[in-house]
Amino acid sequence: MTDPNYYMVMAMATLAGLGMVTGAGLAGWRGWLALKRQELAMLQHGDHPQADSGNAGARIEIADLKERIRKLEAIAAGVDL
């Protein structure tokens, strides 16, 4: 373990690993920024992704969630259904 080449190889491997992790993090950050820029551009042009309720499945899911909330509120208030 006193071989100076061992320490040099370990330092280089650590530096290479750190570089790969940093590169992956930077790529993810750039992707996230691109996504946010795209969302802002859509909002500026009047396209609201949340306002698209034309999907019947989404309507059913929202209605189901509202019904569940109503039932939970009734339980909290002590009303029998």
Side-chain angles (χ1 to χ4, degrees), residues 1-23:
M1 290 281 184
T2 60
D3 186 23
N5 288 333
Y6 173 77
Y7 294 113
M8 185 64 72
V9 168
M10 291 304 291
M12 293 233 183
T14 302
L15 189 59
L18 182 62
M20 285 189 274
V21 169
T22 303

Side-chain angles (χ1 to χ4, degrees), residues 1 5 12-13 20 24 26 29 31 36 40-41 53 69 74 81:
M1 290 281 184
N5 288 333
M12 293 233 183
M20 285 189 274
L26 183 60
W29 176 253
K36 292 300 172 183
L40 284 173
S53 62
I69 289 172
L81 296 178

